[in-house]
Structures are given as structure tokens and as C-alpha cells.
Amino acid sequence: MIDYTPEQAMAERLARRPWPVTLIRNDINVSFEFFPPASSDGFNELTRCAHHLAPLNPDFVSVTYGTGGTTRERTHATIRGLIDATGLAVAGHLTCVGATKDVTASVIDDYLDAGVRHIVALRGDPSAGQTDGTVAGGYRNAAELVAAIRNHVEERGIGGLQISVAAYPEVHPRASSAKADMDNLKRKIDAGADRAITQFFFDSDTFLRFLDQARTAGIHAPIVPGIMPVTRFSGVVRFAERCGTDIPAWMHELFSDLDDSPGVRRLVAATVAAEQCRRLAEHGVTNFHFYTMNSPELTSATCRILGVIPRANRPAKDNERSKVS
Ligand code: FAD
């Protein structure tokens, strides 16, 4: 009997999976999500990450925003820093719970004045100890926020603003039902959102079913899968519990003893994320939003396996696609 090392055993297990030949594709669009770092070292690390990923020609990169404005200044500084350092199209996330309408309007103005033309409009979560988080004189949900942003840019005479909203293939944990959650997504699109980006998930069929249900519900805007390559598995498990994301049994099997083997974990994580994307791509999905955790390697490897390679090495396209699809 062959005495496999854990690495060889893992490679052997992965090799048993069906794996179509990689083709360099020019119809896949990617976007990358970052969080605002808390220190200048963190910002330097993020800039390195953005420079590493920029040649993949993302439609946009986005910067998250703390509920109740907890990261307002940092989000801003990060957005400005990324625009200056990379020239990429940067989307600013904006949450509305815990803020009055005036405060929200001033954040929107700050974004617009910084040249941001894409906002990811969110309700956000209540702070610890709050049950709901809505404040008097604030927006109650993301649909109200989307409508307000559309009014605001119209009043300022600014055109071409893109709005993305959140979608939940496994249903938002606070939603009263899957139907109520879908109706809520439709309200956000009807209020003026251009696309939805999903919460992360690991079962590709869950996303494909959700997409079908959304189309049946009359939602025809793009719904972009949110892809989370696994960093520390124990952290992903905790985060998934809070978000209502199911972690399939096969992932526990693949990752549970790899927290202290970062090299093997990264190889497995890139393979799993790429496999997830490729299955979606086989079903016609061409846009992918990556939760990068401000670290480029896993996302970059996943994109490569998916056929997205740095711009300079890509075959010429018949028509250069627009920056935001
Ligand atoms: P909505 O669209 O208003 O609601 C979504 C669903 O949740 C609805 O079914 C609604 O009924 C239900 N719901 C939400 N809150 C309540 C409540 N209090 N009571 C009853 N039902 C409720 N969070 C951040 O803080 N910063 C970010 O930058 C950020 N970025 C995100 C990006 C993406 C792509 C995604 C998927 C999520 C992001 N989130 C972020 C998390 C998001 O703020 C939470 O999931 C939040 O709970 C719901 O926001 P929403 O915009 O989807 O809300």
C-alpha cells in the first residue's frame, strides 16, 4: 500500500474530480471586494493587493462600509487612495441603518465628489444590542436607500451612476421567508438598482436555483455570484453561521484539518473556488465578484484557472466590453 503524505492524499482526492480543459476565455468579467484597512501598513498591503489584481481588468473594485458609519473615514480614505494608486473604477459600499437621511446624503456627496460612480447600497446590520437599528429620520431598508440615491444624483444632475444591491441565495437570516426576501430584492431593483451581488455561498446549485427563482419573480437585472475563496476555514465557518451560508459536508472534509497547513490550504482553496466558478460558468454565468479579504493570491489563482489572465496576455477582444456590465 502506498504511504501518502497528507499533501499527496489531497492531490489524489482532487484529481478524481472531473476537470474540463482550461481555455483562456474573454467573456468572463470579474470584480473584487476589499475592506478598509485600519492602519497605514494595512493600506500598503491593500495597494499591493489592488496592483496585483488590476491587470485582470476588473469591471470594478469595491470597498466595504461599517454599519452606522463606523468606517466612514477609512472607507473614504481607502476609496480615494485606490483611485489615485490604481485608476480602477472603485465602488463605495454604503449602509443606511444607524444614520439619519442627512448623514447618508453627505456620504453620497463625498463619494460623488471623489469621482465614485458606483455605489453598493445596503441596509447594514444593527449594532450589538440593537434589535433593528433603524433611527428616526433614517432609511429603513436598502430599497429606500436605492430610491434616495437615484433622487439625489438626479437633483445634482449627475448621470451614469451604477447602483448594486445585495442578494441572498440562501435567504437573509432575518427575512420572514424566502418569498419575502425575493420580493425585497425585486423592490431594490425596481427602485433603481442595476445589479445584485450575492452573499457568498459554496454550493453552486444553490446559486443556479436562486437565479431561476429570481427570473421567475420578474427580476431581470444581472445577479452576480459573490465568491469567497477560503482563507482560514474556522473563520469562514463562523462567518457563514452569521450569514446563513451553508457549508457542505465535503468542504468540512477537505478543509477541517488544514488551518495549520497554509500551503496546502491555499492550493485546495483555489481549486475549490475555481471549480465553483467553472460550474457556474458552464451554466452561462460570466460575472464573478470576489471577496478578496485584501489578499490577492487566492483570488488571482482562481481567476487564472477560470481563464481570466492579465490583460497584456489576453487574446484581443472583438469589442472591448464596457467597464461595468
Ligand atoms: P435589505 O435589502 O434592506 O434587506 C435584506 C433582507 O433582510 C430582507 O429580506 C429584509 O426583510 C431582511 N432584514 C434585514 N434587516 C432586517 C431587520 N432588522 N428586521 C427584519 N428583516 C430584516 N454590511 C455592511 O455593514 N457593510 C458592507 O459594506 C456590506 N457589504 C455587503 C455586500 C454584499 C454583496 C452583501 C451580500 C452584503 C453586504 N453587507 C454589508 C451585509 C448587509 O449589510 C447585511 O446582510 C444586512 O443585514 C442586510 O442588508 P441589505 O442591504 O441586504 O438589506
Side-chain angles (χ1 to χ4, degrees):
M1 192 177 119
I2 303 169
D3 196 10
Y4 280 134
T5 64
E7 288 83 357
Q8 287 168 326
M10 183 64 70
E12 212 272 324
R13 220 180 315 166
L14 285 171
R16 275 190 256 125
R17 290 158 176 254
W19 192 249
V21 176
T22 296
L23 295 172
I24 304 299
R25 297 181 56 158
N26 65 1
D27 62 342
I28 301 282
N29 305 313
V30 293
S31 53
F32 304 126
E33 185 169 309
F34 305 130
F35 62 84
S39 66
S40 56
D41 281 354
F43 183 72
N44 292 338
E45 190 54 25
L46 172 58
T47 308
R48 181 188 77 84
C49 175
H51 277 302
H52 186 118
L53 294 173
L56 298 176
N57 200 18
D59 281 338
F60 63 92
V61 299
S62 76
V63 181
T64 61
Y65 187 87
T67 285
T70 46
T71 64
R72 177 174 174 174
E73 298 307 325
R74 275 198 279 137
T75 296
H76 243 275
T78 304
I79 288 174
R80 283 180 183 275
L82 282 175
I83 292 174
D84 290 347
T86 66
L88 291 169
V90 182
H93 290 216
L94 173 60
T95 64
C96 60
V97 291
T100 63
K101 291 180 182 173
D102 285 348
V103 167
T104 300
S106 77
V107 180
I108 298 167
D109 281 330
D110 286 348
Y111 280 172
L112 296 174
D113 295 344
V116 169
R117 291 294 179 270
H118 185 168
I119 294 177
V120 182
L122 303 142
R123 181 186 195 280
D125 291 310
S127 309
Q130 291 181 319
T131 49
D132 177 65
T134 312
V135 297
Y139 299 107
R140 286 171 303 168
N141 52 50
E144 287 187 1
L145 177 61
V146 171
I149 295 170
R150 283 280 170 235
N151 281 338
H152 195 87
V153 289
E154 198 177 316
E155 276 168 22
R156 283 195 53 179
I158 293 175
L161 182 87
Q162 295 278 324
I163 302 180
S164 296
V165 292
Y168 301 90
E170 294 175 79
V171 184
H172 188 282
R174 284 181 172 240
S176 54
S177 68
K179 175 166 186 328
D181 210 24
M182 190 64 85
D183 291 346
N184 179 65
L185 176 59
K186 184 158 187 331
R187 272 194 298 277
K188 294 193 278 193
I189 300 295
D190 291 348
D194 299 286
R195 77 181 57 65
I197 302 171
T198 76
Q199 186 58 276
F200 69 98
F201 59 92
F202 295 110
D203 182 349
S204 301
D205 289 346
T206 300
F207 174 85
L208 295 169
R209 264 195 308 274
F210 178 73
L211 195 57
D212 283 348
Q213 287 159 0
R215 300 303 181 229
T216 304
I219 298 169
H220 300 294
I223 298 181
V224 181
I227 305 296
M228 169 90 90
V230 172
T231 44
R232 278 190 84 76
F233 186 62
S234 49
V236 170
V237 170
R238 273 198 304 279
F239 193 31
E241 264 168 26
R242 286 212 304 275
C243 300
T245 295
D246 181 51
I247 307 228
W250 59 263
M251 278 190 71
H252 287 277
E253 193 192 332
L254 278 180
F255 285 105
S256 57
D257 55 351
L258 289 182
D259 268 2
D260 297 323
S261 307
V264 182
R265 187 182 69 238
R266 276 196 290 273
L267 290 171
V268 175
T271 307
V272 165
E275 200 171 348
Q276 182 185 12
C277 293
R278 290 173 61 109
R279 173 149 169 76
L280 295 174
E282 277 166 20
H283 283 80
V285 176
T286 53
N287 293 318
F288 297 88
H289 183 75
F290 288 91
Y291 295 106
T292 69
M293 310 307 284
N294 292 8
S295 176
E297 282 79 14
L298 268 180
T299 294
S300 169
T302 306
C303 287
R304 268 198 177 250
I305 301 170
L306 190 58
V308 179
I309 60 167
R311 197 174 8 209
N313 302 336
R314 283 193 192 198
K317 293 181 180 183
D318 294 341
N319 294 301
E320 186 62 32
R321 64 173 187 267
S322 66
K323 286 304 289 175
V324 177
S325 62

